[in-house]
Amino acid sequence: MYRGRASRVFAFLILCSVLSLGSLWAVRFVQARGKPTVDASGTDENGNALAVRVAPQGSNLPAAPLPAGARERSVQLERMLPATKPSQPAAGPLRVLLVGNSYTMHHSLHQMLVRVANGVDGGPKLEADAVARGGYSLRNHLRTGPALQRIRAGHYTHVVLQGHSLSAVDHPSEFAEDAERFKQAIDSAAGRTVFYATWARSPEVSLYRTHKQVRSFEEMSTRVSTTYFQVSNKLGAALAPVGSAFERALMTHPKLSLWGSDGSHPSLAGSYMAACVLYGAISGRDPSTTSYVPRGLVEADAQLVREVARDIAAENARSNKLPVTGAASAASVHGPT
């Protein structure tokens, strides 16, 4: 009796072994026939090893856990297979709000920025709005409210801040304080802050004979650039160094007129420079690849603008530094921007 029972147990063990070998053969057959998909691996939150599940491509059935030792073989096999990138949803357009004064209003900078973006083959789509009033500083915008309302309700990916042209010179502390308040509002709306660092007045203006803080183009350019640079670093915002582009163009292409007749506001070429530098800071792309040229600007001048904007954008990206924009006192509201 015992001998017969032992024979049956022995036969049962042989059957289990055959089935186990058949399961292993089936798994290896699947691996040989098609690329496996690794559904889970690694450890759980308690540090316990997770089973690696392998299923043939196209299968809708859950795969069975692999036997001991198969996890390592599966990982090795996965490393041998060509890497594939998961499909990504199509990215939506960049939505940009420009907050500033007449420097932003001149030549409808927000519309020019859209045209620059549209002229870049394969670049991201861009939509832009503007809240700008002549002579305004950031503090003026904070007091009146529409800019903050648009930021909170507009779902903008980027907000460009441009302060009064003398804010960074006359009121750097106030400038930094108001910039930080705007940055907090933009962060709360899940947007990214970009500071539109403005330029020094033209070297020929009478300002340098009367101003107490700056007595030359070089001095004003250094003060404005330094203030924007320092505040940008502190706040961790993106910088569009338009003023640096003006300074570079003055050195390398002195006949290229970037200032208007008042020596303060931008010419058509100056606004085009601002749009190109802003596009580079917002998109991370080369602004010189745009095919857009503003009507009324000769192609030769447009080419020079794009080349300078390209170089400044590349240097700005390599520096990996970030910026700020300004705020002036209420007394400057009716003065030049």
Side-chain angles (χ1 to χ4, degrees):
M1 179 178 67
Y2 293 109
R3 182 179 302 173
R5 184 175 299 174
S7 298
R8 288 194 295 274
V9 170
F10 182 74
F12 176 77
L13 291 175
I14 292 176
L15 178 61
C16 290
S17 299
V18 171
L19 291 175
S20 177
L21 289 173
S23 176
L24 285 172
W25 177 86
V27 169
R28 291 174 180 173
F29 177 79
V30 167
Q31 292 175 342
R33 287 291 301 273
K35 177 183 174 180
T37 300
V38 178
D39 297 329
S41 63
T43 59
D44 62 15
E45 60 184 2
N46 297 317
N48 300 317
L50 294 173
V52 179
R53 306 193 329 157
V54 178
Q57 280 190 324
S59 172
N60 294 320
L61 298 176
L66 290 179
R71 174 177 176 175
E72 291 76 12
R73 291 194 298 274
S74 176
V75 171
Q76 291 174 358
L77 177 61
E78 183 186 12
R79 290 172 179 169
M80 294 172 61
L81 295 169
T84 57
K85 294 182 179 181
S87 59
Q88 298 291 337
L94 302 176
R95 301 196 69 242
V96 182
L97 175 67
L98 280 71
V99 178
N101 49 44
S102 55
Y103 279 20
T104 292
M105 295 164 61
H106 258 56
H107 307 108
S108 299
L109 180 60
H110 67 294
Q111 296 178 3
M112 188 178 288
L113 176 62
V114 171
R115 295 186 180 110
V116 168
N118 289 342
V120 177
D121 188 26
K125 297 297 181 181
L126 190 148
E127 302 170 357
D129 299 321
V131 179
R133 295 192 64 177
Y136 259 41
S137 65
L138 289 189
R139 179 147 298 186
N140 298 140
H141 280 294
L142 288 171
R143 287 172 174 168
T144 56
L148 287 176
Q149 293 172 8
R150 295 287 290 275
I151 290 169
R152 290 165 179 159
H155 307 291
Y156 294 102
T157 60
H158 298 76
V159 178
V160 176
L161 301 176
Q162 178 255 311
H164 192 279
S165 61
L166 292 175
S167 290
V169 174
D170 294 340
H171 311 282
S173 297
E174 184 179 284
F175 169 82
E177 179 182 313
D178 297 337
E180 185 171 8
R181 290 178 62 187
F182 261 108
K183 176 69 162 50
Q184 291 170 352
I186 296 166
D187 287 347
S188 297
R192 186 178 183 196
T193 302
V194 180
F195 286 104
Y196 172 1
T198 54
W199 48 85
R201 305 287 174 84
S202 170
E204 291 81 17
V205 298
S206 61
L207 172 78
Y208 300 123
R209 294 192 296 271
T210 59
H211 198 277
K212 296 180 180 180
Q213 303 295 329
V214 290
R215 306 307 296 266
S216 67
F217 169 83
E218 292 78 12
E219 190 174 1
M220 182 173 180
S221 182
T222 299
R223 279 180 172 264
V224 172
S225 298
T226 299
T227 301
Y228 274 89
F229 180 78
Q230 290 176 343
V231 180
S232 68
N233 277 342
K234 178 183 176 182
L235 298 183
L239 176 64
V242 181
S244 297
F246 270 54
E247 186 176 8
R248 177 71 58 82
L250 182 63
M251 292 187 298
T252 57
H253 309 293
K255 293 184 179 181
L256 180 63
S257 179
L258 300 178
W259 289 269
S261 58
D262 65 355
S264 174
H265 292 85
S267 65
L268 181 61
S271 289
Y272 185 48
M273 180 75 79
C276 288
V277 175
L278 281 167
Y279 175 74
I282 292 169
S283 69
R285 288 179 171 264
D286 180 358
S288 70
T289 60
T290 184
S291 61
Y292 167 69
V293 176
R295 180 176 298 178
L297 184 63
V298 299
E299 174 57 37
D301 286 348
Q303 180 65 28
L304 294 178
V305 167
R306 290 193 298 270
E307 289 174 357
V308 172
R310 175 200 62 205
D311 295 343
I312 291 295
E315 292 170 11
N316 188 43
R318 285 195 299 269
S319 70
N320 198 28
K321 301 294 182 182
L322 310 158
V324 150
T325 182
S329 64
S332 70
V333 147
H334 301 297
T337 53

